Every structure is written in structure tokens, then in C-alpha cells.
Amino acid sequence: EIFRLNREGIKYLEGYFDYKFPFPKYDIVLIPEFPFGGMEHAGATFLREDRVIFPQEPTANDYITRANVIFHEAAHQWFGDTVTMKWFDDLWLKEGFAEFMAYKTLEKVMPQYNAWKVFYERNKQAAYLTDSTKGTTPIYQEIANLNSAKSAYGNIVYRKAPSFLRQAEFYIGEDKFQTAVRAFLKKHEYANAGWEDLVKEFETASGEDLKDWANIWVKQRGVPLIRATQNDAGIPTQGLSGFAKYEKPLAITLNQSNSLNERGIWKLRTKLYIKVDGENEPRIFNQAIPMNSEGEQDFLLTPVHVNSNTFIFANYQDYGYGIFLLDDKSRDYVLKNLQNEKDPFLRSMMWGSLWDSVREGELDPKEYVELVEKNISVEKDESTIQALLARVSTAMTYYLAEEPATAGGSDLRSRLEKMLIDKMRTAPTMGQRITFYRAFLNIAFTDNARHVLKTMLTDLNDDLPLKTKDRFDIVTKLLILGDADAPRLLADLEKTETSDDAKRYAYAARAGIGSAQNKAKFWSDFTANKDISESWIEAAFGPFNSPRHAELTLPYLEKALAVLPNLKRDRKIFFVNGWLGAFIGGQKSEHALAVVNKFLADNPNLDKDLRLKILENADLIERAVKIRAKYKYN
């Protein structure tokens, strides 16, 4: 299968670029515990072994991830190796293009996975997650020295940049976009190029002046917030051609603002989807709709029943880049009708628009969780199911009220656990059952949940086969929850599982033991034990920082921030991102937010890139504090 994906991917890329594979051979090399998912040496890609040889029974999401990394690294043979960026400030020119081309390849080679829906669920959401924070950066990041290049790797170059390219393709047209890409490759082959060179080719192919448009997208940070509003246009209906007395025209305005309240408006094109309650077919503006320079666009929809509940969605088929917020009528329509939408792509985007409402404090997170619980059976696609359950986990962990360490848990949690247990046993496909199992493992809390997990360790079940990593994951969760049987279960597992991978899993599991003495031991390992490999630390700092142990790990938060300059210097790409995601992501309190803010205030000379990384990750706590306060979940 790996050879098929690689062969078909190369064939598609050769055709798309109109450029034969640029090197005399192409090897794929698998490396255990490789520090990156992949590395695109000219003529030879190195891949982390567990991205290709699955350590757990795979789901559709795992197959997509594997294909993505193969296609991404293959695309680098052209964008990255044949044409290389002049310097790391243009890192997006290779990483963003490789990711964009990976999804175009996925669309052709594996059409069953609905590539652009997956792109929306994975790339777009991750881009918005970073780009709406005070720690975001422009796509083009000024890198003064090589020692800061590591910090350029993250959601902006890997997620926002391909999202911008998706918008650029729609903005100038697919054929013109492809013409420009082909010309760019041929003009700069075996040489260096910058982003301005690519824009010149866009201009040549389209015949448009795109300098200002591109400059805003590439050099301005942040994400546009776009809201559609609807109201009576105020035009009298009597005698107006095309209207009955009970009908009125509807004025629709798209309004854009900057998520960071900074200057600058993005010129973009999108598709507008309008569904009037009671009408069988939606109204779709099939032509691209440009936002004007003031960030507004007006429409007059005719005719519409005066009492109609109208759903307006301003980013149909996801060509635009922005957080597209629902007006009150549209949100009400989605809450009542989401389960009836037959288009899985649009339905996924409807779910996403509601989650945006949660994150912006416009929808109670409990209402979102209950809607997922009620309607999850509508979803058959594993990618969508995983996305929904991940949001449920975020809401339960950070946004809703803290649950005391009692046997029963809240009524909502008990219902969720019951639903997930049922689905992981009875869902129609193996992939769905595994997807529900992984979500259950993440949410599990009550006595009943722990009993189910312990039973799974001993009962062989062909409908839900568990591999070595799964068993260690279960024991890790039990240790985090303080289950009395967990230490014995870990010891038993270590007797039968003795591989190098198993030893790493066991080490990480012990980081989840909730005692002050254990946390101190692992902190010493993380910062002073030279015999502990980086991959072991990366496996362990997640369990160490379980939000269930937030009080135990809060004393380490400031220390974790203080060692960042050393980590930046000594550790590999992505380590700092993971470190901050774990240590800040293990907290959700106002106290923890105060610790972060005080550290930033006390360290004005901290490297700018590290300061931004802290701000990016601290947005999780800041948003959680605001949402809990608004809905009184403190």
C-alpha cells in the first residue's frame, strides 16, 4: 500500500506540475523514533516509522494521516528540493505548498476520503486555533538568525499557508493557479525563490495586479472574523414586482473585522449559501463574491417570507479563510435542523460554525455537547466523528464546571460515557468503533468507566482489537484517575511487553501518577537527566500534565516557561511547541493564567518567538476562563 500511494502520488504530481520527477531515484526510509513525521531529502524521504507501520489498529483517520505525510514529502521533491526558499522567513513557500498539494493528491488518489472536508476539519481548524491568538504571526515570518528558525514551524506555515493557497486558487481560478505554479517551478528550478516570485506568476497568469492582495495575506497576521447579518430591507411590498403581500426582500450584509482588533482587511472570495426554511432547495451564489476594501458586501435576496427562518452560511464549500460567525437566526436554524442536512461537508461546516459560536462566547458549551450526544449517530465519516468528539473533550475539560473526584461524575458525563461505550461496541465499522473507543478513553472518569477499561485489558474482543500501545494507554488513564488497581496492571503489562516501544510507553504511563513526589521525579528527568531521550520526554509530558492533576503541576508552570531558552537551543524542531502545549494545556484556572502573564511581564527580554509561542498556548486558558465566567461554570 505504501508503494501504491507513493507511485500514484508521484504520478499525479508529475502531471499537475507538468514536470517529471526531478531526481534519478526516490527512496522511502523508515526510522524508529524519528523526531519528525518526515524529512524530504532530495531523492530520499525519511519517515517516522509509526506514521507508516501503525502501532494501533488503524482508522480512516490513520490512513489519511499516513497518506498525507507520504504525499506531503513527495510534493517537497518539487517545492523544497527543486525550488528552495531563499531563507527561513519564506518557510511557508515549501511547507504550505507541500501540505496544499498533499490534499490535492489525496483528492485524486483516495477520493473516498472527501479530501477538502478533511482539510476543513484538520487544517482550517488548526490554523484558526493559532491565528485567533495574540501569539500568531504572519505567514511570512522574519527570521533574523538560524537559531530562531525552529520557531517558524507551526500551524501558520503548515495550516494557514495551505489555507491561503486554497483561497488563492479560488480567487484567480484553478487553471490560472496551475499555470502560475508550473511557470514558477520551471523558472526557478534548482535555485532559490521568494514569495514575491510566486505572486508575479499569479499576476502573469491572471492578468491582475495582486500585490496589495497578496501582501495582506502573507505579511499581515490574524484571521478575519466574518459575520452575515440579515434584516428587512425596508422596501414596501405593495406593487413591487415579484412579491406577494406577505413577502419582503431580505437585506444581507457580510461584515469583516480583524480577530486581533488590528488594522487591515483581507480581500477574499467565498460562496454564499442561503437556505430559507420551507423552501426545498438552497439559494447558492455560484459566482465568487469579493469582499470590498471596507470589509463589507451587501446582497438583496428576493423574495423571502417575512416570518422565514433563514440560514445564511458565508463560506459554502470552504474556499474562504476566516471565522464565519452565524447570526442569531442562522444559529437557531442550525441548532434545529443540523441533523437533517444530507451533505456531509456542509453538515461538518455547520458543526464547525456552532463550535466557533462556543469559542466566541455566543453559545453555551453544554448545549454543544448535548447536541453532539443527541446527533452523533447521524455521522458516518470517521474524520467528522473524531472532530466532534475532540471538541466535546475540550468542552468537558476546559469549559464546563470542574467535577469533584466522586464515583458518579456529572449527569452529562455519565450520559456521554454510556453513549461512547455503546458506540465502541456496536458501531457498524471497525474504524468507527476504534474512534469511539479513543474518545471514551479520553473522557472516561466514573467508576463504571474505569471498570469498563479494566475489563478491556483482559477480555479479547475481535470487534475492538487492542494492541500494545492501547493497553499502555488504558493503564496510563487509570493511573491518572488514581485507580487502585492501576500500578499492578502496569507491572503485569511490563512483564509481558518488553520491546523498546513498550519501555517508552511504560515510562510515560508512570508520569501520570498523581503524587507530588512523582511529579518532582519526572520534572528532574525532563530537565536534568541526560540519559532520558527526547522521544521519551515527549511521550511523558502529556500524562505528567493531565488537567486532572492541575493543582499538582501548577508549581511547575513557571519553571517550564523559564527553561524555554534552553529548550529552544538544545531541542529539535517541534519540541518547544509540544512542551508548551503540555504544560500550559494542563491548566485552565485564573491562577494559572496569572502565572503566565506575570512571567511575561517579569521577562521583557525574552526572545520574541518564545513570547509569541507562550501567548499562542495561553489563549486556551484565557478563553476557558472567559467562557466559564459567562456561563457560570466556575
Side-chain angles (χ1 to χ4, degrees), residues 485-497:
D485 295 327
R488 174 184 57 80
L489 293 171
L490 177 60
D492 291 345
L493 201 51
E494 287 183 287
K495 291 176 183 176
T496 58
E497 303 287 353

Side-chain angles (χ1 to χ4, degrees), residues 355 358 363-370 391-404 410-413 415-416 548 588 623-625 627-629 631-634:
W355 184 245
V358 171
L363 179 67
D364 188 331
K366 185 177 181 182
E367 190 171 357
Y368 188 91
V369 172
E370 290 177 333
R391 292 170 187 155
V392 166
S393 178
T394 296
M396 296 296 292
T397 302
Y398 296 101
Y399 299 161
L400 299 182
E402 180 73 26
E403 297 176 57
S410 67
D411 177 62
L412 178 58
R413 183 177 293 275
R415 295 202 318 268
L416 275 174
R548 288 283 168 197
K588 59 180 177 179
R623 203 174 292 266
V625 168
I627 291 172
R628 289 201 310 274
Y631 294 101
K632 297 180 173 53
Y633 287 128
N634 290 314

Side-chain angles (χ1 to χ4, degrees), residues 185-434:
L185 281 170
K186 289 181 173 64
K187 188 172 292 186
H188 300 283
E189 60 183 354
Y190 305 112
N192 300 95
W195 71 273
E196 299 93 340
D197 299 310
L198 179 63
V199 174
K200 286 178 184 176
E201 299 305 329
F202 285 161
E203 290 182 316
T204 300
S206 67
E208 298 182 53
D209 184 346
L210 299 172
K211 294 180 183 62
D212 291 341
W213 166 82
N215 196 59
I216 289 173
W217 279 106
V218 176
K219 301 195 77 171
Q220 176 175 290
R221 73 177 194 152
V223 57
L225 293 176
I226 299 171
R227 189 189 299 273
T229 57
Q230 50 181 302
N231 52 72
D232 179 357
I235 301 174
T237 59
Q238 288 81 2
L240 187 61
S241 176
F243 286 85
K245 288 184 179 181
Y246 59 84
E247 293 172 332
K248 291 184 179 181
L250 187 69
I252 298 173
T253 300
L254 297 184
N255 184 271
Q256 180 187 147
S257 60
N258 189 306
S259 62
L260 302 173
N261 294 317
E262 297 175 351
R263 295 182 62 186
I265 291 295
W266 292 264
K267 191 173 183 180
L268 58 86
R269 288 177 178 168
T270 179
K271 282 189 176 183
L272 190 65
Y273 176 100
I274 300 169
K275 180 67 170 67
V276 180
D277 207 7
E279 293 185 0
N280 292 328
E281 297 297 326
R283 308 181 188 194
I284 299 172
F285 285 72
N286 288 312
Q287 298 299 316
I289 302 166
M291 301 287 290
N292 66 23
S293 59
E294 285 74 40
E296 288 190 353
Q297 185 72 48
D298 295 318
F299 309 91
L300 193 65
L301 184 67
T302 59
V304 175
H305 192 289
V306 68
N307 294 320
S308 292
N309 190 7
T310 304
F311 167 47
I312 302 173
F313 193 67
N315 190 26
Y316 183 57
Q317 296 179 333
D318 194 38
Y319 292 106
Y321 178 84
I323 297 175
F324 293 82
L325 295 170
L326 299 172
D327 65 286
D328 291 343
K329 277 191 173 183
S330 295
R331 188 183 307 113
D332 185 59
Y333 176 91
V334 173
L335 288 168
K336 292 177 180 177
N337 296 282
L338 180 148
Q339 71 278 6
N340 299 320
E341 176 54 54
K342 302 303 182 186
D343 179 353
F345 193 171
L346 178 57
R347 195 170 62 249
S348 178
M349 297 192 75
M350 291 165 77
W351 279 115
S353 68
L354 291 179
W355 184 245
D356 289 335
S357 295
V358 171
R359 283 176 44 80
E360 295 298 320
E362 298 177 359
L363 179 67
D364 188 331
K366 185 177 181 182
E367 190 171 357
Y368 188 91
V369 172
E370 290 177 333
L371 193 70
V372 173
E373 179 205 1
K374 180 180 178 181
N375 294 294
I376 194 70
S377 295
V378 173
E379 303 301 336
K380 307 303 179 187
D381 186 284
E382 292 164 30
S383 178
T384 302
I385 293 171
Q386 180 176 334
L388 292 178
L389 295 177
R391 292 170 187 155
V392 166
S393 178
T394 296
M396 296 296 292
T397 302
Y398 296 101
Y399 299 161
L400 299 182
E402 180 73 26
E403 297 176 57
T406 57
S410 67
D411 177 62
L412 178 58
R413 183 177 293 275
S414 296
R415 295 202 318 268
L416 275 174
E417 288 182 353
K418 182 178 179 181
M419 179 271 288
L420 292 171
I421 291 169
D422 176 66
K423 292 292 186 183
M424 74 182 189
R425 290 171 173 169
T426 63
T429 69
M430 175 75 77
Q432 285 185 34
R433 293 194 293 274
I434 294 169

Side-chain angles (χ1 to χ4, degrees), residues 89-135:
D89 41 25
D90 257 334
L91 179 66
W92 76 275
L93 199 56
K94 78 179 186 77
E95 295 300 347
F97 241 107
E99 190 67 5
F100 176 67
M101 292 308 304
Y103 277 91
K104 289 188 77 68
T105 309
L106 181 70
E107 180 184 26
K108 299 299 181 183
V109 178
M110 307 176 85
Q112 69 271 29
Y113 289 130
N114 203 341
W116 297 112
K117 182 184 72 67
V118 177
F119 185 85
Y120 165 76
E121 292 165 348
R122 293 189 180 193
N123 273 56
K124 287 289 186 72
Q125 301 308 304
Y128 301 152
L129 203 64
T130 293
D131 216 14
S132 59
T133 75
K134 300 183 187 99

Side-chain angles (χ1 to χ4, degrees), residues 430-584:
M430 175 75 77
Q432 285 185 34
R433 293 194 293 274
I434 294 169
T435 301
F436 283 111
Y437 150 69
R438 291 176 184 171
F440 169 65
L441 181 65
N442 198 27
I443 290 173
F445 172 73
T446 65
D447 275 354
N448 180 59
R450 295 199 298 274
H451 172 73
V452 170
L453 289 174
K454 286 187 280 190
T455 300
M456 292 173 67
L457 285 174
T458 55
D459 286 358
L460 297 178
N461 187 346
D462 291 338
D463 292 330
L464 193 66
L466 297 182
K467 295 190 176 182
T468 298
K469 187 176 188 308
D470 295 302
R471 298 181 186 282
F472 277 102
D473 286 345
I474 290 173
V475 172
T476 302
K477 181 68 175 187
L478 293 170
L479 287 168
I480 289 170
L481 293 174
D483 188 272
D485 295 327
R488 174 184 57 80
L489 293 171
L490 177 60
D492 291 345
L493 201 51
E494 287 183 287
K495 291 176 183 176
T496 58
E497 303 287 353
T498 59
S499 68
D500 288 344
D501 284 341
K503 292 173 183 176
R504 184 173 75 255
Y505 302 151
Y507 175 79
R510 286 195 170 84
I513 295 173
S515 70
Q517 182 181 11
N518 188 63
K519 299 301 182 186
K521 183 265 181 194
F522 272 86
W523 174 257
S524 178
D525 273 3
F526 294 165
T527 56
N529 190 339
K530 303 300 183 183
D531 295 328
I532 302 295
S533 75
E534 194 168 290
S535 64
W536 282 44
I537 296 173
E538 288 177 314
F541 55 43
F544 178 94
N545 284 291
S546 168
R548 288 283 168 197
H549 298 167
E551 290 186 8
L552 282 172
T553 56
L554 182 60
Y556 296 99
L557 179 56
E558 184 178 1
K559 297 178 182 179
L561 301 178
V563 299
L564 286 174
N566 294 339
L567 300 181
K568 173 183 170 180
R569 182 186 66 243
D570 298 335
R571 297 297 185 181
K572 296 182 178 66
I573 298 171
F574 305 120
F575 186 92
V576 166
N577 295 3
W579 179 269
L580 284 172
F583 278 90
I584 294 179

